[in-house]
């Protein structure tokens, strides 16, 4: 063997040795308040939900799929526009094995074990189903730990701890803290203004996935978008009716509450409801079509005679703000709709664009919201 090759081989062995030396056994407390011991930085992970890439992408923007050996296929169906953007930049992601869900009982433990993951990252809302199906025990017997994160059940409470937890698992604590600092600063631009001004709070109905089905109407209780409304200076009409994060109102309840604003959450859901009445906002959305469909939703029985329709305060916003670490952008957009006089200098679109430029792997595309009042 020649000297150059010996040096190259020797250098590789030393490099591998250094990498191995950097791996430590750590114990973390996850969002389900469980202590989990594992090797970190994590080299191989399974994403229990594809949209966890929203977290991962903010920490490893140069190579967000480098450590992903398997994932659930919901990302391509629930957010096909962002999926396409990621796939165009990281085509290798389409070769990652996909899994069924823990909640619907279609997760394949043997398939997961064959990929030798260091950890399975799960969303908090799947915990009960995971335990009922004994997935946690089966994976534990194979030496595969589960770590729970959450940016859906209680995003205001759990997104930042989830981001900090992910930073520790990946050895990206500084990037995690930079994201956290940005998120908190952007939130403060709304919450400090609302606290100081103490404005009269308009009544708001969040129409969760309006037009997705013929039934009316899904909404949010005191958490998630319901809490976004309160932080933005509004009064969520479902807060006292829906005890949990998600639930339903009937048309009579909405008409009786007479909301001043209606905010429909929407997305491109052709994979679920082809040609449905849902409002297809999101990156690169067709705004003319989105506005037409939004206007069509004002004609439902539940919207009869309410102030929001009469005054044109009928809006649509990207549904995945409910299930991503970008919640602060939604709070800014709501605040600007509810109190335009207080937030003349606040530009939620600029915030979202800056988020992409500083943290995210894909370029910003407009289209995340629209309104019938054009404000």
């Amino acid at each position: 063997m020649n000297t150059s090759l010996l040096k190259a081989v020797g250098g590789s062995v030393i490099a591998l040795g250094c990498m191995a030396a950097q791996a430590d056994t750590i114990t973390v407390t996850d969002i389900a308040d469980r202590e989990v011991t594992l090797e970190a930085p994590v080299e191989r992970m399974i994403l229990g939900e594809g949209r966890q890439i929203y977290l991962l992408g903010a920490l490893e923007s140069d190579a967000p799929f480098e450590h992903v050996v398997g994932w659930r296929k919901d990302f391509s169906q629930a957010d096909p526009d962002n999926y396409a953007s990621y796939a165009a930049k990281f085509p290798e992601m389409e070769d990652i094995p996909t899994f069924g869900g823990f909640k619907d009982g279609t997760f394949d433990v043997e398939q997961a074990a064959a990929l030798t993951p260091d950890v399975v990252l799960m969303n908090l809302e799947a915990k009960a189903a995971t335990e009922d199906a004994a997935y946690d025990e089966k994976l534990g017997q194979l030496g595969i730990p589960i770590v729970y994160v959450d940016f859906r059940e209680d995003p205001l409470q759990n997104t930042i701890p989830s981001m900090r937890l992910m930073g520790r698992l990946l050895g990206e604590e500084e990037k995690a803290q930079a994201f956290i600092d940005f998120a908190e600063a952007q939130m403060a631009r709304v919450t400090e203004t609302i606290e100081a001004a103490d404005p009269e709070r308009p009544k708001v109905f969040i129409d969760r996935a309006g037009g997705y089905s013929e039934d009316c109407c899904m909404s949010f209780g005191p958490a998630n978008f319901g809490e976004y409304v309160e932080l933005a200076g509004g009064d969520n009409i479902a807060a006292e009716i829906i005890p949990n994060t998600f639930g339903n109102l009937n048309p009579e309840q909405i008409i009786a509450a007479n909301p001043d604003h209606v905010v429909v959450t929407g997305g491109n859901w052709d994979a679920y409801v082809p040609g449905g009445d849902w409002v297809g906002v999101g990156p690169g959305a067709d705004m003319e079509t989105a506005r037409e469909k939004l206007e069509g939703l004002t004609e439902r029985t539940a919207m009869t005679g309410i102030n929001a329709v009469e005054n044109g305060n009928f809006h649509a916003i990207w549904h995945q703000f409910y299930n991503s670490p970008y919640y602060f952008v939604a709070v800014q957009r709501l605040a600007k709709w509810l109190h335009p006089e207080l937030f003349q200098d606040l530009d939620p679109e600029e915030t979202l664009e800056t988020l992409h430029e500083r943290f995210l792997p894909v370029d910003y595309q407009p289209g995340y919201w629209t309104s019938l009042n054009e404000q």
Side-chain angles (χ1 to χ4, degrees):
M1 186 177 292
N2 64 43
T3 303
S4 301
L5 189 55
L6 279 170
K7 288 181 179 178
V9 172
S12 297
V13 171
I14 291 169
L16 287 170
C18 291
M19 288 177 65
Q22 291 174 353
D24 295 312
T25 300
I26 65 170
T27 299
V28 299
T29 301
D30 71 5
I31 301 304
D33 203 27
R34 300 159 57 253
E35 286 194 349
V36 183
T37 300
L38 72 169
E39 294 291 311
V42 169
E43 290 296 326
R44 300 175 64 82
M45 66 171 58
I46 289 174
L47 305 185
E49 181 174 286
R51 283 167 288 179
Q52 289 168 344
I53 202 64
Y54 299 145
L55 282 174
L56 198 57
L59 297 177
E60 297 192 313
S61 57
D62 291 336
F65 300 95
E66 180 178 2
H67 303 298
V68 180
V69 297
W71 62 340
R72 193 173 166 219
K73 61 184 180 181
D74 59 283
F75 186 29
S76 63
Q77 298 170 322
D79 188 9
D81 300 318
N82 264 312
Y83 182 91
S85 294
Y86 275 79
K89 190 167 184 179
F90 307 102
E92 68 274 13
M93 79 184 215
E94 300 200 76
D95 296 325
I96 298 173
T98 58
F99 287 87
F102 277 41
K103 291 179 74 173
D104 60 14
T106 58
F107 182 80
D108 188 328
V109 173
E110 292 183 1
Q111 180 192 8
L115 296 171
T116 62
D118 301 319
V119 66
V120 176
L121 199 67
M122 288 300 303
N123 280 6
L124 186 63
E125 71 265 15
K127 183 174 183 291
T130 300
E131 294 174 347
D132 289 346
Y135 285 129
D136 53 340
E137 293 180 13
K138 295 171 185 176
L139 290 170
Q141 290 168 1
L142 296 169
I144 303 171
I146 293 175
V147 168
Y148 287 100
V149 296
D150 177 48
F151 44 96
R152 179 177 182 270
E153 291 292 300
D154 195 345
L156 272 298
Q157 178 71 28
N158 294 332
T159 296
I160 285 177
S162 294
M163 185 63 75
R164 190 170 281 121
L165 174 61
M166 285 295 298
R168 192 169 180 204
L169 294 182
L170 295 167
E172 297 286 3
E173 289 94 336
E174 289 187 8
K175 287 185 179 179
Q177 191 58 51
F179 182 93
I180 291 166
D181 291 345
F182 179 75
E184 290 183 330
Q186 295 303 324
M187 278 291 290
R189 297 176 69 188
V190 172
T191 56
E192 290 177 1
T193 298
I194 293 297
E195 184 178 1
D198 190 22
E200 183 177 348
R201 291 176 173 266
K203 292 182 290 184
V204 182
F205 170 56
I206 298 291
D207 189 359
R208 183 184 175 207
Y212 186 90
S213 72
E214 294 182 2
D215 296 332
C216 185
C217 292
M218 295 188 292
S219 193
F220 296 83
N224 204 290
F225 257 100
E227 190 172 6
Y228 301 173
V229 166
E230 299 295 331
L231 290 168
D235 177 16
N236 172 25
I237 68 167
E240 302 298 323
I241 302 172
I242 298 173
N244 302 311
T245 304
F246 312 110
N248 294 279
L249 300 184
N250 61 48
E252 291 77 15
Q253 289 171 314
I254 298 167
I255 293 170
N258 193 19
D260 302 298
H261 292 259
V262 170
V263 181
V264 179
T265 69
N268 180 355
W269 290 317
D270 257 330
Y272 298 129
V273 187
D277 291 333
W278 38 264
V279 182
V281 287
D286 179 338
M287 287 290 94
E288 184 176 348
T289 299
R291 280 181 55 82
E292 288 175 359
K293 294 177 81 170
L294 180 62
E295 190 152 11
L297 293 180
T298 66
E299 299 173 3
R300 293 170 296 169
T301 300
M303 305 296 122
T304 303
I306 64 173
N307 287 338
V309 174
E310 297 298 321
N311 297 326
N313 289 323
F314 211 86
H315 323 284
I317 194 167
W318 188 52
H319 183 72
Q320 299 306 327
F321 282 126
Y322 97 114
N323 193 31
S324 74
Y326 321 143
Y327 59 90
F328 52 90
V329 179
V331 173
Q332 287 190 357
R333 180 61 272 184
L334 290 170
K336 185 115 180 172
W337 278 330
L338 304 184
H339 299 287
E341 73 288 351
L342 294 179
F343 294 102
Q344 295 181 35
D345 296 329
L346 181 64
D347 186 347
E349 189 157 356
E350 182 181 44
T351 300
L352 188 52
E353 190 167 1
T354 302
L355 172 68
H356 280 75
E357 291 173 352
R358 287 190 55 188
F359 297 102
L360 302 187
V362 294
D363 293 334
Y364 172 69
Q365 298 180 72
Y368 284 83
W369 48 70
T370 189
S371 176
L372 297 187
N373 68 13
E374 293 292 341
Q375 288 185 7

